Amino acid sequence: MNTADTILVIGACGQIGSELTMALRKIYSNVIAADLKEPGNEVRDSGLFIRLDVLNKPSLYETVKKYNITQIYHLAAILSATGEKNPELAWRVNMKGLRQVLDACIELGVKKLFWPSTIAVFGPTTPRQNTPQWTVMEPNTIYGISKQAGERWCDYYFQKRNLDVRSVRYPGLISYKTPGGGGTTDYAIDIYFEAKKNNHYTCFLAEHTRLPMMYMPDAIRGTIELMEAPAEKVKVRSSYNISAISFTPEEQAASIKKVLTDFSIDYAPDFRQKIAESWPESIDDSVARADWGWKPEYDLDGMTKDMLENVTAP
Ligand code: AKB
């Protein structure tokens, strides 16, 4: 780790960005948060914030030059459910945004790039249990298609341009600090807020829909561990499978009931059900474990306990 690095976090006010920015600021003294959105108090008060639209190439290049950026975490993206409502926007943000960041890294000498992929790169023809690192990938959401193409671009820039690009395929991420941002797995966050507020939740996925999930502290720690691993240990330059917990809405509700005994749930599946059914139920992350030592810490009950202690009813 070189604490003299100057890091740019693009999408610093999103679900991952707001927590990752704070975690990076504990390690590095120069972490610049950038987003189109207004920052929350923590991000705004703990360091430099700049407004940046990743689709605006001159402004992206000027930022990288002005602050002598040496590492970028490029997190800005349109997620699965929002992407299905606006495919054009999802393709533009997810694909053009990534390509501009990749080019900025090469042309302006940025040494290292982190870019998140997702379990949405898999599709209905992928084996759904213990989905391997390398397998059939025919995603059928625009989000999944853009992320799969993004993985190929990242690998290409590593192979052909020598860019030190690193990535993980996040499962559904759960946190109490920032709400979800238009994903299919957002139910697993909303359920805790509604449990605290109303003791009841109407779930937009069916009760037996099993999906891979992860508590945010594991995701943040894993991301930083991957970025700090020696380059020779990072053998996959498209994106690594990482996994923590797989559960259904019914199992998550049962976990909440252990703490809030009066909690109840009902189900009203909508268009997101089809998206969820096209994704894996569980992920084989043995390659990430072997290459750079990935290991999750939280299980479902551990996460539920922590979420319910920290969620504040809106
Ligand atoms: C989504 O649901 O779109 C995301 C994801 C799994 O990448 N949380």
Side-chain angles (χ1 to χ4, degrees):
M1 183 203 320
N2 180 358
T3 48
D5 270 315
T6 301
I7 298 181
L8 177 65
V9 182
I10 302 172
C13 301
Q15 197 206 3
I16 304 169
S18 49
E19 297 202 34
L20 192 55
T21 300
M22 297 311 296
L24 289 168
R25 282 184 172 159
K26 290 200 177 112
I27 307 171
Y28 294 91
S29 39
N30 296 317
V31 178
I32 299 167
D35 208 304
L36 266 177
K37 287 190 282 204
E38 274 297 310
N41 294 350
E42 261 197 327
V43 168
R44 192 199 49 222
D45 297 342
S46 58
L48 182 60
F49 172 80
I50 55 169
R51 210 164 291 269
L52 177 71
D53 177 359
V54 72
L55 295 179
N56 183 336
K57 190 170 176 177
S59 132
L60 170 67
Y61 274 54
E62 199 184 302
T63 303
V64 172
K65 277 194 260 181
K66 179 171 174 190
Y67 296 104
N68 290 317
I69 300 297
T70 56
Q71 286 191 25
I72 297 181
Y73 287 71
H74 170 42
L75 309 171
I78 302 290
L79 300 188
S80 56
T82 310
E84 290 312 285
K85 290 188 186 147
N86 196 341
E88 201 45 54
L89 176 73
W91 184 254
R92 205 166 58 244
V93 173
N94 296 358
M95 194 81 304
K96 187 174 172 200
L98 171 62
R99 295 236 23 229
Q100 289 191 164
V101 172
L102 286 165
D103 284 339
C105 289
I106 295 301
E107 288 166 31
L108 305 174
V110 177
K111 290 192 296 238
K112 228 189 237 185
L113 169 66
F114 176 82
W115 171 82
S117 188
T118 162
I119 55 161
V121 294
F122 301 115
T125 52
T126 302
R128 293 191 73 206
Q129 271 82 36
N130 250 346
T131 302
Q133 174 71 41
W134 295 284
T135 185
V136 178
M137 293 164 91
E138 294 185 312
N140 63 3
T141 61
I142 199 69
Y143 172 60
I145 295 168
S146 66
K147 287 288 183 175
Q148 192 204 22
E151 288 192 7
R152 301 320 317 151
W153 276 109
C154 286
D155 193 55
Y156 184 88
Y157 271 68
F158 172 72
Q159 305 287 347
K160 307 272 161 110
R161 308 280 181 89
N162 226 3
L163 177 63
D164 188 352
V165 48
R166 305 178 181 204
S167 174
V168 292
R169 293 172 179 150
Y170 289 125
L173 297 180
I174 296 161
S175 97
Y176 57 86
K177 292 198 174 153
T178 323
T184 301
T185 57
D186 286 5
Y187 93 81
I189 307 167
D190 301 346
I191 194 171
Y192 290 114
F193 283 89
E194 291 298 316
K196 233 9 205 312
K197 192 173 156 201
N198 298 322
N199 238 341
H200 181 78
Y201 180 60
T202 300
C203 185
F204 61 73
L205 295 185
E207 64 215 275
H208 300 307
T209 316
R210 184 174 301 282
L211 285 171
M213 302 279 184
M214 185 179 291
Y215 198 30
M216 191 62 88
D218 275 338
I220 299 295
R221 183 182 44 77
T223 301
I224 295 176
E225 280 170 10
L226 171 64
M227 282 298 269
E228 289 183 354
E232 65 277 10
K233 291 201 172 207
V234 184
K235 294 177 189 135
V236 174
R237 298 301 185 140
S238 50
S239 193
Y240 276 102
N241 278 7
I242 57 168
S243 146
I245 335 167
S246 285
F247 54 79
T248 64
E250 194 178 39
E251 288 165 356
Q252 193 180 13
S255 174
I256 293 173
K257 264 169 115 46
K258 288 182 196 167
V259 182
L260 299 175
T261 46
D262 293 336
F263 175 71
S264 62
I265 185 164
D266 59 11
Y267 301 91
D270 65 15
F271 74 101
R272 290 168 280 194
Q273 181 64 30
K274 277 250 158 339
I275 301 178
E277 283 169 8
S278 77
W279 289 351
E281 293 193 338
S282 59
I283 297 286
D284 174 359
D285 60 2
S286 50
V287 178
R289 287 176 187 250
D291 284 3
W292 49 277
W294 157 250
K295 197 169 179 291
E297 280 170 9
Y298 282 88
D299 62 10
L300 176 56
D301 285 342
M303 173 177 76
T304 294
K305 186 171 168 293
D306 204 56
M307 280 294 288
L308 293 176
E309 271 167 22
N310 287 292
V311 154
T312 41

